[in-house]
Structures are given as C-alpha cells and as structure tokens.
C-alpha cells in the first residue's frame, strides 16, 4: 500500500474499460513532429487527443509520461548548437579542412 486508497492511485475501472472495449489499445490519437525536425521555440512537439469520453483521464496520464522526452530533446538541442559553433569557429580560424575531413565530429563529446 502507498499509505492511501489504492483505487485513487490506479484507475482499475478505466483500464478494464480500455481492455474490454478497445482490445487493450489506448483510445487516443497522438500527433507529433517527425523525429529530428528542428522546431522553433514556443511550438507544440506533440498533441494527444482522447477518442473515448469515458477515458477523459487518459490524456493527462499519457502527457505525464510523454513529457519525459523533454530532457533528451534539450540535450539534442544543446548538442546541435554546440556542434554548429565548433564548425563555425573551425572555419573562421582557418581549420576548415578539419570540417571537410569530418574530424569535427570528434570535437564534441556530449554524454548527456
């Protein structure tokens, strides 16, 4: 037990409804920007739409899980900006041959 009413922590009726009425498939539509797309700030990366009024709670539940993509997305954004800066500075300082040979790929070690 989590020190409280287990029914409040786990929506058994809701999940059983999904299993019975939808064959276990989540009754939602998810639209997302394709992976790798560079998106300007203040834009939506994904949207979840509920397709079953009895599962009104499901969108918030899934958004809470999917928001976990924020951290790796931030790491990718920072790594992209840093790589661009490395390339620019290599070219500005007469080291464009390093970029031409692909050696700039070894100038940033980002372990996130």
């Amino acid at each position: 037990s989590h020190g409280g009413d287990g029914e409040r922590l786990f929506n058994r009726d809701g999940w059983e409804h999904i299993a019975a009425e939808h064959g276990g498939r989540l009754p939602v539509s998810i639209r997302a920007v394709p992976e790798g797309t560079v998106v300007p700030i203040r834009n939506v990366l994904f949207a979840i739409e509920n397709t079953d009024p009895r599962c009104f709670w499901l969108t918030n539940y899934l958004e809470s899980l999917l928001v976990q993509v924020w951290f790796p997305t931030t790491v990718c954004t920072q790594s992209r900006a840093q790589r661009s800066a490395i390339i620019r500075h290599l070219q500005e300082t007469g080291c464009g041959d390093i970029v031409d040979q692909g050696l700039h790929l070894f100038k940033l070690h980002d372990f996130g």
Side-chain angles (χ1 to χ4, degrees):
S1 172
H2 288 58
D5 182 8
E7 286 300 313
R8 292 188 325 200
L9 297 175
F10 181 73
N11 184 353
R12 179 173 300 280
D13 291 340
W15 289 108
E16 287 178 355
H17 169 75
I18 291 170
E21 298 298 320
H22 300 285
R25 294 182 184 266
L26 300 178
V28 296
S29 170
I30 301 176
R31 295 181 313 276
V33 174
E35 183 177 351
T37 302
V38 177
V39 180
I41 62 171
R42 295 186 175 91
N43 280 285
V44 175
L45 295 179
F46 65 87
I48 304 173
E49 181 182 353
N50 180 15
T51 59
D52 180 346
R54 284 193 53 192
C55 298
F56 60 90
W57 52 272
L58 188 56
T59 49
N60 284 351
Y61 176 83
L62 293 173
E63 284 176 353
S64 296
L65 293 175
L66 290 174
V67 78
Q68 299 303 313
V69 303
W70 178 85
F71 177 74
T73 300
T74 300
V75 170
C76 290
T77 299
Q78 292 175 354
S79 293
R80 181 178 181 271
Q82 292 165 359
R83 186 186 71 186
S84 295
I86 289 169
I87 291 170
R88 184 177 72 250
H89 289 295
L90 284 170
Q91 291 171 335
E92 288 175 357
T93 58
C95 298
D97 59 321
I98 290 175
V99 177
D100 296 339
Q101 296 171 29
L103 298 175
H104 66 288
L105 300 174
F106 300 97
K107 299 290 183 191
L108 173 62
H109 302 286
D110 181 0
F111 301 103

